[in-house]
Amino acid sequence: MRRYDASQIEPKWQRVWEEEGLYRASDDPADERPRFYALDMFPYPSGDLHMGHAEAFSGGDTVARFRALQGYNVMHPVGWDSFGLNAENAAIKRQIHPKEWTYANIDQQAASFKRMGMSFDWSRMVRTSDPEYYRWTQWLFLRFFERGLAYRKKAPVNWCPKDQTVLANEQVIQGACERCGTLVERRDLTQWFFKITDYAQRLLDDIDTLVEWPERVLTMQRNWIGRSEGAHVTFTIDETGDEVRIFTTRPDTLWGVTFFVFAVEHPLVQKLAELGGSWETVQPLIEEVRATPLTYREQADTKEGVALGVHAVNPVNGEKVPCFVAPYVLMEYGTGAIMAVPGHDERDFAFARSHDVPVRVVIQPDGVETLDGDTMSEAYPGEGSMVSSGPFEGERTPGSIAKVAAWLADEGRGEAAVTFRLRDWLLSRQRYWGAPIPIVHCDRCGEVAVPETELPVLLPDDVDFQPGGESPLARHPSWSQVACPKCGGDARRDTDTMDTFVDSSWYLFRYCSPGYDGGPFRREDVDRWMPVSQYTGGVEHAILHLLYTRFFTKVLHDIGLVGFTEPFPRLMNQGQVIYGGASMSKTKGNIVEPMPLVERWGADTVRLIMLFAGPFEDDIDWKLIAGDPDKRPGVTAWLGRAFAAVDEAVARGADVAEPESLRRLTHRTIKGVTEDLERYRFNTAISKLQVLTNEMRSALDAGGGAMGAAGVLPQLLAPFAPFAAEELWREVLGNRSSVHVSSWPSFDEALAAEDTVTLVVQVDGKVRDKVEVPSDASEEACLELARASESARRTIAERGIAKEIVRAPKLVNFVTKR
Ligand SMILES: [Zn+2]
Ligand SMILES: [Zn+2]
């Protein structure tokens, strides 16, 4: 009898597949198959593949293989996001060149991907640190530059003292560097930005078209863009006549303004403080705030602040209210000054109570006893009717907001306005391992684009890349000295490099035109393959990468380079692989590596463990699913049973009659697995295949045949366990060509129909799940399905099972160890 032995099977087929060029997407225009672009988020080459890669790529590969079997012309490319801080820091630590470190890791990851049986089209491979690639990153930067979408400005920026570089706001998590966890500082530097804010409304509007994205990702994108409707209102400083514009989402509360607050960086602050006699107390506050990381200030103490000694005139009623300067008002958001309405805003209320400023109620909620500004203990930010509000007495929210805004415009005191939380994308980095910014600075001509014919601006190898505050490229003795492309005079190259998120914002387009040297990609190639049919990757990219790529796509569309505005209408996020409830990390010493497991048990086993562990989007806790490291994994044992069953069925031949029940189950399994794969329910599909295997065994043990089932099991198995499926298909069933270029089996609806009953799944006698099962389901079948129940599994968690009680087909009860 044929034994299942991954170490014999897998290297063999890996070689054959490579020789046969099995996974090449066809660019032949005469190829009439529908196209399917299966895209996985490309990895950073930091070390070998980790568990997160194994999980994500197992899912993405299953989708690609399934679609190919269904008859699609599938493009499933791979590449590396190979510039960036990760590689640079790792190289510095090991005292080798980032290039050497990066490319060695790419080689290792590539070998591991092949070992895992990923169906990549290697002819399309992209590495963002290759000059052939970043030439076009630079070219695209220049397209942005010429349209005014890339510009420089001096701005307060987040500075990571450890990485010695600026970080985008998006790269600062709770005040700390996303990469290294160091508390971020604030510096004022001249930096390059992409004007993503010009696209804020379109980025927001088009979210509505992304109906096949996870809802939580859409919510995160909406919140990040952060659109607010309201009004701009102009206040006047009584003592100087300066006009100060503010933005408010609640113009209906204008009559409740009792003070006015400036951000510390507001350009009027010093002048007003000197005039008001408060500079001595204001100056230390400014210094203190300037030393605080930008992102920390979003949680600033709302009680802190100093009176400026001047007054602002409220344009709706002419009242003069005191002006303050306070850290809770941010220069980066809105206009750097606010009207304060303590009766109806929590932060203003906290400030007012600690600075003895009156609180005035101008919105009265329905059905509540009248609020009193002197005695209320918290602000009322909700809806209601306007009171003490001049001409608007009795007007109700939300209609009142638009009415007041319209009135402000008529009176010339303001106008309706929209603001966004989204800031421009800070893209320059003072680091070495990135694409140089293709700009020359000339004292006479200013910022001059490097001519297209001189791209790429090559990153020199001989650079002292130790971080040191200024860009490493600036320390190179000659690299930055260049003749101005416009006037020919002495000029300097820009010595910053681009954020790696720029590189990863267009790699998906490059896959469509590998090796093309007439542009970043050919329009006809992109039109043929894109938008992406299915994008798979981690939810950690829910905001930045996805938003930036959406932005790039819209700009490419506006330039006329592509014909669509959204790059990936369908997105699937895998869960994280964690250990004992916590993320895997070196410091916790709980890292499990996939490749040693592949060597020990085989790639098919690792893929199946990942896909069978639960719904793809849920986290996998390795501690719960791994079991005894020396015991053969359950999925490996199942592959062994599948091998034995197919082998025996073939030996017995097609002449021995197959039981009707197995024939029916085979059709039901084809139907069920097809439906599950359409919805990326990998775990339930695998459990159906296990049930089929068990029924084949029963039929064979009873002296019957099982050839019908044996003929399709390898095909149904192929997306999940490509090596084992191939071995069964070619070696056991004797097919000439690969199972992966065969046609997905079809099923007979009538045979697939079934009488079902409800199987109740209990844990310790309590109902945890109900599953529809065939009325003739065996004990084993019921048990398999019950074991696959997510809610039962969650309840059992770490307790372990002491006993399984089965009353087929109606009940399975798991008794836990406790
Ligand atoms: Zn850092
Ligand atoms: Zn010049």
Side-chain angles (χ1 to χ4, degrees):
M1 196 177 71
R2 193 176 295 263
R3 277 187 53 247
Y4 170 65
D5 181 356
S7 68
Q8 295 295 314
I9 296 169
E10 297 189 350
K12 174 178 74 182
W13 293 119
Q14 187 188 321
R15 270 196 310 277
V16 172
W17 293 340
E18 249 182 282
E19 282 160 22
E20 293 179 350
L22 216 53
Y23 307 118
R24 284 229 177 177
S26 164
D27 270 318
D28 181 358
D31 191 325
E32 286 181 346
R33 291 176 295 167
R35 277 171 292 271
F36 192 93
Y37 183 176
L39 179 67
D40 307 303
M41 290 183 188
F42 65 165
Y44 298 118
S46 42
D48 200 353
L49 299 183
H50 55 65
M51 276 299 190
H53 294 131
E55 156 83 350
F57 287 93
S58 294
D61 195 55
T62 299
V63 171
R65 288 180 178 282
F66 171 58
R67 297 302 183 191
L69 281 161
Q70 282 187 316
Y72 287 88
N73 176 9
V74 171
M75 173 163 80
H76 188 208
V78 69
W80 278 272
D81 195 2
S82 49
F83 264 143
L85 276 182
N86 271 347
E88 190 169 341
N89 289 344
I92 288 167
K93 210 166 129 194
R94 289 164 180 80
Q95 296 196 307
I96 58 173
H97 197 279
K99 191 185 215 170
E100 197 184 322
W101 162 255
T102 298
Y103 284 83
N105 282 326
I106 289 175
D107 287 346
Q108 182 167 21
Q109 291 193 351
S112 296
F113 275 138
K114 287 177 181 168
R115 181 66 192 82
M116 285 203 72
M118 298 301 165
S119 61
F120 294 135
D121 180 347
W122 289 92
S123 70
R124 295 171 186 271
M125 199 246 288
V126 151
R127 293 174 299 213
T128 60
S129 54
D130 287 353
E132 306 84 87
Y133 184 88
Y134 70 73
R135 170 186 180 187
W136 301 112
T137 307
Q138 293 172 337
W139 186 90
L140 287 167
F141 174 91
L142 292 177
R143 300 290 80 75
F144 281 61
F145 178 66
E146 70 197 14
R147 294 174 78 85
L149 291 172
Y151 68 95
R152 271 195 341 157
K153 71 171 180 195
K154 190 168 181 145
V157 295
N158 306 298
W159 178 264
C160 173
K162 180 140 181 279
D163 288 327
Q164 293 276 312
T165 191
V166 300
L167 301 168
N169 277 345
E170 294 87 329
Q171 290 165 322
V172 180
I173 310 297
Q174 293 179 330
C177 170
E178 174 199 54
R179 309 259 172 188
C180 72
T182 308
L183 273 190
V184 163
E185 296 170 358
R186 177 208 145 95
R187 288 198 178 176
D188 288 310
L189 291 172
T190 301
Q191 298 290 320
W192 283 99
F193 291 85
F194 278 145
K195 220 166 178 200
I196 192 173
T197 51
D198 272 10
Y199 284 73
Q201 188 64 51
R202 284 169 68 187
L203 287 165
L204 184 68
D205 289 344
D206 287 352
I207 286 178
D208 293 341
T209 69
L210 303 174
V211 292
E212 291 186 72
W213 280 35
E215 193 52 48
R216 64 173 171 163
V217 174
L218 297 179
T219 303
M220 285 160 88
Q221 294 237 333
R222 278 195 193 96
N223 291 342
W224 192 261
I225 296 167
R227 184 183 195 272
S228 327
E229 276 182 30
H232 277 134
V233 187
T234 303
F235 282 64
T236 309
I237 303 303
D238 192 37
E239 287 80 356
T240 63
D242 284 304
E243 293 196 334
V244 185
R245 204 164 72 131
I246 58 100
F247 174 80
T248 175
T249 57
R250 291 295 299 271
D252 59 325
T253 64
L254 263 163
W255 285 263
V257 173
T258 56
F259 59 106
F260 194 89
V261 193
F262 288 93
V264 295
E265 301 93 337
H266 196 286
L268 280 177
V269 163
Q270 182 167 358
K271 170 179 154 186
L272 298 182
E274 283 169 356
L275 185 79
S278 59
W279 182 238
E280 258 174 52
T281 43
V282 168
Q283 194 179 15
L285 177 71
I286 293 177
E287 278 163 19
E288 177 201 318
V289 169
R290 280 192 180 281
T292 311
L294 282 177
T295 45
Y296 254 41
R297 293 183 43 207
E298 295 186 7
Q299 297 107 48
D301 180 359
T302 47
K303 297 193 182 81
E304 200 178 2
V306 176
L308 283 168
V310 296
H311 299 82
V313 181
N314 185 338
V316 301
N317 56 12
E319 271 186 28
K320 293 172 191 164
V321 298
C323 291
F324 291 82
V325 55
Y328 82 92
V329 175
L330 301 180
M331 196 65 209
E332 297 77 48
Y333 294 126
T335 62
I338 63 155
M339 66 179 217
V341 186
H344 305 288
D345 179 279
E346 282 153 27
R347 299 197 313 164
D348 296 347
F349 183 87
F351 190 91
R353 283 292 188 244
S354 63
H355 290 265
D356 253 348
V357 185
V359 175
R360 187 187 299 163
V361 171
V362 292
I363 302 292
Q364 184 60 43
D366 292 335
V368 176
E369 61 180 292
T370 310
L371 296 175
D372 178 353
D374 294 336
T375 57
M376 63 203 286
S377 59
E378 57 181 8
Y380 175 71
E383 304 198 332
S385 304
M386 293 171 71
V387 295
S388 313
S389 293
F392 290 94
E393 204 65 20
E395 290 287 347
R396 299 167 58 85
T397 32
S400 54
I401 295 177
K403 273 191 189 161
V404 173
W407 176 80
L408 285 167
D410 286 348
E411 300 273 313
R413 305 176 209 203
E415 74 269 313
V418 170
T419 64
F420 293 91
R421 180 177 175 273
L422 184 69
R423 303 289 93 190
D424 277 342
W425 171 6
L426 197 175
L427 73 105
S428 44
R429 296 289 179 273
Q430 290 68 53
R431 291 296 296 259
Y432 165 65
W433 191 235
I437 290 174
I439 293 288
V440 168
H441 299 281
C442 171
D443 290 338
R444 288 166 295 276
C445 314
E447 294 158 359
V448 183
V450 172
E452 265 179 50
T453 51
E454 289 172 28
L455 299 181
V457 176
L458 282 173
L459 186 67
D461 287 339
D462 55 336
V463 170
D464 168 18
F465 48 81
Q466 295 292 331
E470 64 176 346
S471 302
L473 288 176
R475 292 199 295 262
H476 191 283
S478 58
W479 183 83
S480 64
Q481 295 162 21
V482 67
C484 169
K486 230 183 215 168
C487 72
D490 286 348
R492 300 166 314 284
R493 288 195 186 284
D494 198 295
T495 53
D496 285 352
T497 53
M498 288 189 233
D499 181 8
T500 50
F501 279 111
V502 182
D503 307 331
S504 59
S505 290
W506 74 277
Y507 76 110
L508 57 165
F509 297 92
R510 184 68 182 172
Y511 281 145
C512 300
S513 298
Y516 180 57
D517 66 359
F521 48 83
R522 262 188 233 98
R523 166 100 193 229
E524 70 213 70
D525 293 335
V526 164
D527 283 349
R528 188 163 59 243
W529 285 108
M530 291 187 72
V532 171
S533 311
Q534 180 66 47
Y535 199 20
T536 308
V539 75
E540 68 272 19
H541 292 298
I543 298 173
L544 299 191
H545 163 61
L546 296 178
L547 193 67
Y548 290 159
T549 307
R550 296 182 58 221
F551 164 58
F552 253 66
T553 305
K554 290 179 196 308
V555 175
L556 295 178
H557 171 268
D558 293 354
I559 298 175
L561 292 174
V562 304
F564 49 89
T565 55
E566 283 293 333
F568 13 71
R570 272 171 294 277
L571 173 71
M572 174 167 79
N573 291 135
Q574 80 277 5
Q576 262 190 299
V577 186
I578 57 175
Y579 194 91
S583 56
M584 291 189 184
S585 79
K586 248 183 219 147
T587 46
K588 289 179 203 132
N590 62 356
I591 293 182
V592 183
E593 307 274 3
M595 294 322 291
L597 290 165
V598 168
E599 287 318 315
R600 177 145 195 210
W601 300 111
D604 283 341
T605 288
V606 172
R607 295 169 62 118
L608 285 169
I609 289 176
M610 292 295 181
L611 298 173
F612 190 47
F616 190 61
E617 59 277 14
D618 287 6
D619 289 350
I620 294 177
D621 195 328
W622 195 260
K623 195 178 176 193
L624 298 187
I625 64 166
D628 183 344
D630 291 321
K631 232 182 90 192
R632 194 159 66 135
V635 291
T636 321
W638 164 54
L639 287 177
R641 293 197 301 277
F643 261 64
V646 174
D647 196 44
E648 246 179 278
V650 170
R652 194 157 295 174
D655 294 340
V656 181
E658 191 165 350
E660 178 66 11
S661 61
L662 180 57
R663 219 158 73 83
R664 288 181 164 274
L665 179 68
T666 304
H667 283 263
R668 278 205 303 277
T669 306
I670 298 170
K671 180 175 192 236
V673 170
T674 307
E675 287 168 357
D676 285 347
L677 277 173
E678 290 284 357
R679 292 178 297 137
Y680 309 131
R681 298 268 160 252
F682 309 128
N683 58 325
T684 53
I686 291 167
S687 89
K688 290 185 176 80
L689 294 178
Q690 295 179 341
V691 169
L692 181 66
T693 309
N694 295 343
E695 294 300 307
M696 286 171 72
R697 169 54 46 211
S698 305
L700 291 163
D701 286 352
M707 236 352 246
V712 296
L713 181 62
Q715 292 180 295
L716 299 179
L717 187 60
F720 309 100
F723 294 105
E726 186 77 315
E727 179 77 6
L728 289 171
W729 183 254
R730 294 214 214 186
E731 298 294 333
V732 183
L733 292 174
N735 291 290
R736 284 260 179 87
S737 58
S738 172
V739 67
H740 301 293
V741 294
S742 68
S743 307
W744 191 247
S746 54
F747 57 90
D748 181 324
E749 272 293 353
L751 285 172
E754 59 182 330
D755 295 333
T756 61
V757 292
T758 304
L759 170 72
V760 174
V761 183
Q762 299 181 337
V763 176
D764 297 322
K766 283 209 184 84
V767 178
R768 291 299 173 185
D769 207 349
K770 288 176 181 174
V771 189
E772 285 301 302
V773 300
S775 51
D776 60 349
S778 66
E779 278 195 9
E780 295 82 55
C782 291
L783 202 49
E784 292 283 4
L785 289 165
R787 283 181 189 142
S789 157
E790 194 46 36
S791 50
R793 213 192 272 258
R794 213 172 294 137
T795 314
I796 296 163
E798 285 174 77
R799 280 182 264 164
I801 297 168
K803 199 172 163 196
E804 294 166 329
I805 300 164
V806 189
R807 303 268 177 276
K810 297 221 162 139
L811 174 80
V812 171
N813 182 18
F814 295 110
V815 182
T816 66
K817 286 182 185 150
R818 286 201 273 197

